[in-house]
Amino acid sequence: ERGARAGTMLHKIFEDLDFTAAPEKRRELVAATLVDFGYAADWLDVIDQMVATVLNSELEPGLRLVNLSRRACLSELEFFCPIGLLEAPALNAFFAGLPTRLRPAELDFRPVSGQLRGFIDLVFCHDGRYYIVDWKSNHLGDSPADYGRPALEAAMAGHHYTLQYYLYSLALDRYLNYRVPDYCYERHFGGV
């Protein structure tokens, strides 16, 4: 199934899961979450395997979610960010100098001001560096080839996830600046 219900169900599994839990405990959580969202038990094997694959994927050398204790993780970090006057042309010009893969899609919105409120799915600390994880389950196609770097980069830009990650990075930078003694972005920020 595609859509919000499936995405919310997967998000809930990762939000509630102790990444270091034994496989049988993980499977119990997956089974209970499937029931809570009205999914048949015949989805258990495939969803449990997908979760195990995500947890065991190497994000960078020596870094796998399966090795992160709950103490190293913070789920659903809420943030507020004041916005003076924000206009699409100015924001587009700001990002124009970046390489295409790092640039958000062209923005088109009416001027806004006020407060931006958001929630970062997961922030974790590994070797003194802080990382952002944002759970996504977009359907890009039916074959593994549909999920190669070009397709992922196009989806990231097209859904404005790239902009979202810049905002999350700003929010985490501000949060860490108040929480980490001698905070330095270059030394403490690990990535998204």
Side-chain angles (χ1 to χ4, degrees):
E1 180 180 320
R2 302 174 197 151
R5 182 173 80 126
T8 303
M9 180 269 299
L10 294 170
H11 185 283
K12 184 68 172 156
I13 290 170
F14 286 111
E15 183 181 339
D16 292 347
L17 184 63
D18 177 349
F19 300 152
T20 63
E24 57 274 6
K25 289 289 186 188
R26 180 191 68 234
R27 191 172 174 83
E28 287 174 14
L29 175 79
V30 170
T33 307
L34 286 170
V35 168
D36 290 348
F37 280 82
Y39 284 97
D42 55 350
W43 282 106
L44 178 58
D45 289 339
V46 71
I47 299 296
D48 185 53
Q49 181 57 53
M50 181 273 307
V51 171
T53 299
V54 169
L55 295 178
N56 285 287
S57 296
E58 192 168 52
L59 303 178
E60 61 180 40
L63 176 56
R64 289 181 169 86
L65 294 176
V66 72
N67 297 322
L68 296 176
S69 70
R70 278 200 182 266
R71 284 189 351 264
C73 299
L74 180 59
S75 291
E76 298 299 320
L77 176 63
E78 183 177 19
F79 66 88
F80 293 89
C81 184
I83 300 172
L85 177 63
L86 188 60
E87 298 175 295
L91 201 52
N92 289 328
F94 177 79
F95 288 116
L98 294 176
T100 303
R101 68 182 183 82
L102 299 176
R103 190 180 321 141
E106 191 78 9
L107 299 164
D108 183 24
F109 57 86
R110 286 185 269 161
V112 295
S113 61
Q115 285 279 343
L116 173 67
R117 177 183 183 216
F119 295 86
I120 302 173
D121 289 349
L122 175 67
V123 173
F124 70 85
C125 184
H126 173 73
D127 287 343
R129 296 175 64 85
Y130 295 83
Y131 297 81
I132 293 170
V133 172
D134 190 49
W135 309 116
K136 298 294 185 203
S137 57
N138 300 50
H139 182 264
L140 304 180
D142 293 328
S143 79
D146 296 325
Y147 295 84
R149 181 172 288 277
L152 290 175
E153 288 175 356
M156 295 276 294
H159 292 286
H160 299 293
Y161 296 150
T162 308
L163 176 62
Q164 179 182 7
Y165 299 155
Y166 283 117
L167 295 171
Y168 284 4
S169 297
L170 172 65
L172 182 58
D173 178 65
R174 289 180 173 196
Y175 177 82
L176 295 175
N177 193 46
Y178 290 107
R179 301 283 182 149
V180 175
D182 300 321
Y183 172 72
C184 172
Y185 178 86
E186 291 79 12
R187 190 171 64 245
H188 291 106
F189 189 81
V192 177

